[in-house]
Amino acid sequence: MHAHGGTRSGDAVPGDEELLARLRAAPVLAGPLPEFDPAAAPDSPGPLFAAWLTDALEAGVPEPQTMTLSTADADGEPSARVLILRGIDSADCAFVFASDARARKGRDLAANARAALTWYWPAHGRQIRMAGPVTALGEDAVRRDFLGRSEAARAAAFTGTVSEPLTGTQEYDRAFRAARALVAAEPDRVPDTHTVYRLRAREAEFFQGRADPFHTRVRYVREGRAWTRTLLWP
Ligand SMILES: Cc1cc2nc3c(=O)[nH]c(=O)nc-3n(C[C@H](O)[C@H](O)[C@H](O)COP(=O)(O)O)c2cc1C
């Protein structure tokens, strides 16, 4: 075991067969897992998301603010990455995240404004999936989101073009120093391409893992102002 989890150099990396054997021996959905009674679930998914997130926070689930955003480009080519959840509207079941419009996800969303979000909280054996249309919020939301960040985080946003090839760390260091100076000189400056997106769920799914393994899956679909709720085979 490497104490700091760094990249192995020198010692052999196990072969695929051994890696797979280790994976098979590793516990998954091992629990103890919470009970989830789908019959008692709320009529809409936003409050259930808030309740599960609260459980995750209270249980000390690591980094519960992270989520996977999946997008697809105009040709249907998918891509996914981890982002920070930067806003929640439980009443409307909508989720806010921020990025640079020039990044791959920004280009995908410009061409195809639909996306999916996924959370997995292993300590509770819970997965949540949300999918729906994505809109870009207006200037006020962009300023609030960007100017609420640390100076270093703001400088990072002015350093180079996200998702473009980078020649090396020296190029990054030079650009970061210049960006820090820019942010110090103009603390209210917001990059033109900083974008705050809002995904308004059209469908939502809550998966509660169980040891038995009769996992519980509840799917919500938005029908006008209300939601339908269905149990799914696990
Ligand atoms: C824990 C974590 C949090 C992240 N949060 C964000 C974020 O909030 N916004 C963002 O644009 N990228 C974030 N990233 C970086 C993205 O995963 C991704 O590398 C980057 O946005 C470029 O993605 P793209 O080329 O698909 O657009 C985060 C990465 C990690 C590991």
Side-chain angles (χ1 to χ4, degrees), residues 63 65-67 69 71 79-86 96-108 149 162-164 194-195 197:
E63 306 187 10
Q65 69 276 60
T66 60
M67 58 193 187
L69 169 76
T71 55
S79 63
R81 74 290 288 155
V82 171
L83 295 187
I84 302 282
L85 175 61
R86 298 194 60 89
V96 173
F97 54 91
S99 192
D100 189 301
R102 297 166 299 175
R104 181 171 178 176
K105 70 183 93 50
R107 287 182 267 126
D108 283 3
R149 296 166 180 238
V162 64
S163 303
E164 287 298 310
H194 185 71
T195 309
Y197 297 96

Short mmCIF file of all heavy atoms in Angstrom, two decimals, residues 63 65-67 69 71 79-86 96-108 149 162-164 194-195 197, ligand 1:
data_model
loop_
_atom_site.label_atom_id
_atom_site.label_comp_id
_atom_site.label_asym_id
_atom_site.label_seq_id
_atom_site.Cartn_x
_atom_site.Cartn_y
_atom_site.Cartn_z
N GLU A 63 -16.95 14.49 0.44
CA GLU A 63 -17.21 15.35 -0.72
C GLU A 63 -18.61 15.16 -1.31
O GLU A 63 -18.78 14.86 -2.50
CB GLU A 63 -16.13 15.12 -1.78
CG GLU A 63 -14.74 15.32 -1.19
CD GLU A 63 -13.60 15.28 -2.19
OE1 GLU A 63 -13.86 15.27 -3.40
OE2 GLU A 63 -12.45 15.27 -1.73
N GLN A 65 -20.62 17.26 -2.14
CA GLN A 65 -20.96 18.31 -3.11
C GLN A 65 -20.52 17.97 -4.53
O GLN A 65 -20.73 18.74 -5.45
CB GLN A 65 -20.37 19.66 -2.68
CG GLN A 65 -18.86 19.79 -2.75
CD GLN A 65 -18.16 19.23 -1.53
OE1 GLN A 65 -18.29 18.05 -1.21
NE2 GLN A 65 -17.38 20.06 -0.85
N THR A 66 -19.87 16.81 -4.71
CA THR A 66 -19.42 16.46 -6.06
C THR A 66 -20.47 15.58 -6.75
O THR A 66 -21.21 14.85 -6.11
CB THR A 66 -18.07 15.72 -6.03
OG1 THR A 66 -18.22 14.52 -5.27
CG2 THR A 66 -16.99 16.57 -5.41
N MET A 67 -20.51 15.70 -8.06
CA MET A 67 -21.49 14.95 -8.86
C MET A 67 -20.92 14.78 -10.26
O MET A 67 -20.02 15.52 -10.66
CB MET A 67 -22.80 15.74 -8.91
CG MET A 67 -22.62 17.13 -9.50
SD MET A 67 -24.04 18.18 -9.24
CE MET A 67 -23.54 19.62 -10.23
N LEU A 69 -21.48 15.01 -14.19
CA LEU A 69 -22.31 15.62 -15.24
C LEU A 69 -22.04 14.92 -16.55
O LEU A 69 -20.89 14.85 -16.99
CB LEU A 69 -21.96 17.11 -15.39
CG LEU A 69 -22.58 17.78 -16.62
CD1 LEU A 69 -24.07 18.07 -16.42
CD2 LEU A 69 -21.84 19.08 -16.95
N THR A 71 -22.89 14.80 -20.61
CA THR A 71 -23.43 15.58 -21.73
C THR A 71 -23.21 14.78 -23.01
O THR A 71 -22.54 13.75 -23.00
CB THR A 71 -22.70 16.94 -21.86
OG1 THR A 71 -21.29 16.70 -21.98
CG2 THR A 71 -22.96 17.83 -20.66
N SER A 79 -19.92 12.44 -23.05
CA SER A 79 -18.76 12.65 -22.17
C SER A 79 -19.27 12.99 -20.79
O SER A 79 -20.39 13.49 -20.63
CB SER A 79 -17.82 13.74 -22.72
OG SER A 79 -18.46 14.97 -22.77
N ALA A 80 -18.47 12.68 -19.79
CA ALA A 80 -18.89 12.88 -18.41
C ALA A 80 -17.69 13.36 -17.60
O ALA A 80 -16.55 13.05 -17.93
CB ALA A 80 -19.45 11.58 -17.83
N ARG A 81 -17.97 14.12 -16.55
CA ARG A 81 -16.92 14.62 -15.66
C ARG A 81 -17.54 15.00 -14.32
O ARG A 81 -18.76 15.19 -14.23
CB ARG A 81 -16.18 15.83 -16.26
CG ARG A 81 -16.91 17.12 -16.28
CD ARG A 81 -18.05 17.18 -17.22
NE ARG A 81 -17.67 17.23 -18.63
CZ ARG A 81 -18.43 16.82 -19.63
NH1 ARG A 81 -19.65 16.36 -19.38
NH2 ARG A 81 -18.04 16.88 -20.86
N VAL A 82 -16.66 15.13 -13.32
CA VAL A 82 -17.11 15.48 -11.97
C VAL A 82 -17.14 17.00 -11.82
O VAL A 82 -16.21 17.68 -12.26
CB VAL A 82 -16.17 14.83 -10.93
CG1 VAL A 82 -16.48 15.34 -9.52
CG2 VAL A 82 -16.29 13.31 -10.98
N LEU A 83 -18.18 17.49 -11.21
CA LEU A 83 -18.33 18.93 -10.95
C LEU A 83 -18.79 19.14 -9.52
O LEU A 83 -19.23 18.21 -8.85
CB LEU A 83 -19.40 19.56 -11.85
CG LEU A 83 -19.22 19.61 -13.35
CD1 LEU A 83 -20.35 20.43 -13.94
CD2 LEU A 83 -17.89 20.21 -13.73
N ILE A 84 -18.76 20.41 -9.11
CA ILE A 84 -19.29 20.80 -7.80
C ILE A 84 -20.74 21.28 -7.97
O ILE A 84 -21.03 22.06 -8.88
CB ILE A 84 -18.45 21.98 -7.22
CG1 ILE A 84 -16.98 21.60 -7.10
CG2 ILE A 84 -19.04 22.47 -5.91
CD1 ILE A 84 -16.63 20.74 -5.94
N LEU A 85 -21.59 20.83 -7.08
CA LEU A 85 -22.97 21.32 -7.04
C LEU A 85 -22.94 22.71 -6.43
O LEU A 85 -22.51 22.89 -5.28
CB LEU A 85 -23.81 20.36 -6.19
CG LEU A 85 -25.25 20.77 -5.91
CD1 LEU A 85 -26.06 20.88 -7.20
CD2 LEU A 85 -25.91 19.74 -4.98
N ARG A 86 -23.39 23.72 -7.17
CA ARG A 86 -23.25 25.10 -6.68
C ARG A 86 -24.59 25.75 -6.34
O ARG A 86 -24.62 26.90 -5.90
CB ARG A 86 -22.46 25.94 -7.68
CG ARG A 86 -21.04 25.37 -7.84
CD ARG A 86 -20.10 26.31 -8.55
NE ARG A 86 -19.94 27.57 -7.86
CZ ARG A 86 -19.03 27.82 -6.92
NH1 ARG A 86 -18.19 26.88 -6.54
NH2 ARG A 86 -18.96 29.00 -6.37
N VAL A 96 -27.69 23.54 -9.92
CA VAL A 96 -26.86 24.56 -10.56
C VAL A 96 -25.40 24.13 -10.52
O VAL A 96 -24.93 23.59 -9.51
CB VAL A 96 -27.05 25.91 -9.82
CG1 VAL A 96 -26.08 26.96 -10.32
CG2 VAL A 96 -28.50 26.40 -9.98
N PHE A 97 -24.71 24.33 -11.63
CA PHE A 97 -23.27 24.09 -11.68
C PHE A 97 -22.65 25.18 -12.54
O PHE A 97 -23.35 25.88 -13.28
CB PHE A 97 -22.95 22.69 -12.22
CG PHE A 97 -23.57 22.36 -13.55
CD1 PHE A 97 -22.89 22.62 -14.72
CD2 PHE A 97 -24.84 21.81 -13.62
CE1 PHE A 97 -23.46 22.32 -15.96
CE2 PHE A 97 -25.43 21.51 -14.85
CZ PHE A 97 -24.73 21.77 -16.03
N ALA A 98 -21.34 25.32 -12.44
CA ALA A 98 -20.68 26.41 -13.16
C ALA A 98 -19.49 25.86 -13.92
O ALA A 98 -18.82 24.93 -13.48
CB ALA A 98 -20.22 27.48 -12.18
N SER A 99 -19.25 26.46 -15.06
CA SER A 99 -18.10 26.05 -15.85
C SER A 99 -17.77 27.13 -16.86
O SER A 99 -18.35 28.22 -16.83
CB SER A 99 -18.37 24.71 -16.55
OG SER A 99 -17.17 24.19 -17.06
N ASP A 100 -16.85 26.81 -17.74
CA ASP A 100 -16.45 27.74 -18.78
C ASP A 100 -17.14 27.31 -20.08
O ASP A 100 -17.10 26.14 -20.45
CB ASP A 100 -14.92 27.67 -18.94
CG ASP A 100 -14.40 28.77 -19.85
OD1 ASP A 100 -14.83 28.83 -21.02
OD2 ASP A 100 -13.56 29.56 -19.39
N ALA A 101 -17.78 28.27 -20.74
CA ALA A 101 -18.54 27.95 -21.94
C ALA A 101 -17.66 27.31 -23.02
O ALA A 101 -18.16 26.61 -23.89
CB ALA A 101 -19.20 29.21 -22.49
N ARG A 102 -16.34 27.57 -22.96
CA ARG A 102 -15.45 27.05 -24.01
C ARG A 102 -15.02 25.62 -23.75
O ARG A 102 -14.45 24.97 -24.61
CB ARG A 102 -14.19 27.93 -24.12
CG ARG A 102 -14.48 29.36 -24.53
CD ARG A 102 -13.28 30.24 -24.28
NE ARG A 102 -12.92 30.25 -22.85
CZ ARG A 102 -11.86 30.86 -22.35
NH1 ARG A 102 -11.04 31.52 -23.14
NH2 ARG A 102 -11.62 30.83 -21.05
N ALA A 103 -15.25 25.13 -22.52
CA ALA A 103 -14.87 23.75 -22.19
C ALA A 103 -15.75 22.78 -22.98
O ALA A 103 -16.79 23.16 -23.52
CB ALA A 103 -15.02 23.51 -20.69
N ARG A 104 -15.33 21.53 -23.00
CA ARG A 104 -16.08 20.55 -23.79
C ARG A 104 -17.55 20.49 -23.38
O ARG A 104 -18.44 20.45 -24.22
CB ARG A 104 -15.43 19.17 -23.63
CG ARG A 104 -16.15 18.12 -24.43
CD ARG A 104 -15.39 16.81 -24.45
NE ARG A 104 -16.16 15.82 -25.19
CZ ARG A 104 -15.72 14.61 -25.45
NH1 ARG A 104 -14.53 14.24 -25.03
NH2 ARG A 104 -16.47 13.75 -26.12
N LYS A 105 -17.79 20.49 -22.05
CA LYS A 105 -19.18 20.42 -21.59
C LYS A 105 -19.97 21.64 -22.03
O LYS A 105 -21.14 21.55 -22.35
CB LYS A 105 -19.24 20.24 -20.07
CG LYS A 105 -18.80 21.47 -19.30
CD LYS A 105 -18.79 21.26 -17.81
CE LYS A 105 -17.46 20.81 -17.29
NZ LYS A 105 -16.27 21.59 -17.70
N GLY A 106 -19.29 22.82 -22.06
CA GLY A 106 -19.94 24.05 -22.49
C GLY A 106 -20.32 23.98 -23.96
O GLY A 106 -21.41 24.38 -24.37
N ARG A 107 -19.39 23.41 -24.74
CA ARG A 107 -19.67 23.27 -26.18
C ARG A 107 -20.78 22.25 -26.40
O ARG A 107 -21.67 22.45 -27.22
CB ARG A 107 -18.38 22.87 -26.92
CG ARG A 107 -17.41 24.05 -27.03
CD ARG A 107 -16.15 23.70 -27.80
NE ARG A 107 -15.08 23.26 -26.89
CZ ARG A 107 -14.43 22.11 -26.99
NH1 ARG A 107 -14.71 21.24 -27.94
NH2 ARG A 107 -13.47 21.82 -26.13
N ASP A 108 -20.74 21.16 -25.62
CA ASP A 108 -21.82 20.16 -25.73
C ASP A 108 -23.16 20.80 -25.42
O ASP A 108 -24.14 20.60 -26.14
CB ASP A 108 -21.60 19.02 -24.73
CG ASP A 108 -20.52 18.04 -25.17
OD1 ASP A 108 -19.90 18.27 -26.23
OD2 ASP A 108 -20.30 17.05 -24.45
N ARG A 149 -15.99 33.21 -5.12
CA ARG A 149 -14.88 32.26 -5.06
C ARG A 149 -13.63 32.90 -4.48
O ARG A 149 -13.49 34.12 -4.49
CB ARG A 149 -14.56 31.76 -6.48
CG ARG A 149 -15.70 30.99 -7.05
CD ARG A 149 -15.54 30.78 -8.54
NE ARG A 149 -16.70 30.03 -9.00
CZ ARG A 149 -16.64 28.85 -9.62
NH1 ARG A 149 -15.48 28.32 -9.92
NH2 ARG A 149 -17.74 28.23 -9.95
N VAL A 162 -9.73 26.37 -20.68
CA VAL A 162 -10.02 25.03 -20.17
C VAL A 162 -10.30 24.08 -21.33
O VAL A 162 -10.89 24.47 -22.33
CB VAL A 162 -11.20 25.09 -19.16
CG1 VAL A 162 -12.48 25.53 -19.83
CG2 VAL A 162 -11.40 23.78 -18.44
N SER A 163 -9.80 22.86 -21.19
CA SER A 163 -9.97 21.78 -22.17
C SER A 163 -9.12 21.95 -23.44
O SER A 163 -9.20 21.12 -24.33
CB SER A 163 -11.44 21.54 -22.54
OG SER A 163 -12.21 21.27 -21.39
N GLU A 164 -8.30 23.01 -23.51
CA GLU A 164 -7.37 23.14 -24.64
C GLU A 164 -6.06 22.46 -24.27
O GLU A 164 -5.71 22.42 -23.08
CB GLU A 164 -7.11 24.62 -24.95
CG GLU A 164 -8.28 25.33 -25.62
CD GLU A 164 -8.62 24.73 -26.96
OE1 GLU A 164 -7.70 24.54 -27.79
OE2 GLU A 164 -9.81 24.41 -27.18
N HIS A 194 -17.37 32.60 -18.19
CA HIS A 194 -17.83 31.90 -16.99
C HIS A 194 -19.35 31.74 -17.10
O HIS A 194 -20.07 32.71 -17.33
CB HIS A 194 -17.46 32.68 -15.72
CG HIS A 194 -17.81 31.93 -14.46
ND1 HIS A 194 -17.13 30.82 -14.07
CD2 HIS A 194 -18.79 32.12 -13.54
CE1 HIS A 194 -17.66 30.36 -12.94
NE2 HIS A 194 -18.67 31.13 -12.60
N THR A 195 -19.82 30.54 -16.95
CA THR A 195 -21.24 30.27 -17.20
C THR A 195 -21.82 29.47 -16.04
O THR A 195 -21.18 28.55 -15.54
CB THR A 195 -21.41 29.49 -18.53
OG1 THR A 195 -20.70 30.20 -19.55
CG2 THR A 195 -22.87 29.37 -18.91
N TYR A 197 -24.93 27.18 -15.07
CA TYR A 197 -25.95 26.38 -15.74
C TYR A 197 -26.95 25.87 -14.70
O TYR A 197 -26.60 25.59 -13.56
CB TYR A 197 -25.32 25.17 -16.42
CG TYR A 197 -24.36 25.51 -17.52
CD1 TYR A 197 -22.98 25.58 -17.29
CD2 TYR A 197 -24.81 25.74 -18.82
CE1 TYR A 197 -22.08 25.87 -18.31
CE2 TYR A 197 -23.92 26.03 -19.85
CZ TYR A 197 -22.56 26.09 -19.59
OH TYR A 197 -21.68 26.38 -20.60
C1 LIG B 1 -13.81 17.16 -7.29
C2 LIG B 1 -13.83 17.91 -8.59
C3 LIG B 1 -14.61 19.05 -8.71
C4 LIG B 1 -14.67 19.74 -9.92
N1 LIG B 1 -15.51 20.83 -10.03
C5 LIG B 1 -15.61 21.46 -11.22
C6 LIG B 1 -16.57 22.51 -11.39
O1 LIG B 1 -17.36 22.86 -10.49
N2 LIG B 1 -16.62 23.12 -12.61
C7 LIG B 1 -15.82 22.74 -13.65
O2 LIG B 1 -15.93 23.32 -14.72
N3 LIG B 1 -14.92 21.73 -13.53
C8 LIG B 1 -14.81 21.08 -12.35
N4 LIG B 1 -13.93 20.03 -12.21
C9 LIG B 1 -13.12 19.65 -13.38
C10 LIG B 1 -13.96 18.80 -14.34
O3 LIG B 1 -14.09 17.48 -13.84
C11 LIG B 1 -13.33 18.74 -15.76
O4 LIG B 1 -12.04 18.22 -15.68
C12 LIG B 1 -13.27 20.10 -16.43
O5 LIG B 1 -14.40 20.90 -16.12
C13 LIG B 1 -13.18 19.96 -17.94
O6 LIG B 1 -14.27 19.19 -18.41
P1 LIG B 1 -14.73 19.21 -19.94
O7 LIG B 1 -13.48 19.26 -20.78
O8 LIG B 1 -15.49 17.94 -20.15
O9 LIG B 1 -15.60 20.43 -20.14
C14 LIG B 1 -13.89 19.30 -11.02
C15 LIG B 1 -13.10 18.15 -10.89
C16 LIG B 1 -13.09 17.45 -9.71
C17 LIG B 1 -12.27 16.19 -9.62
#
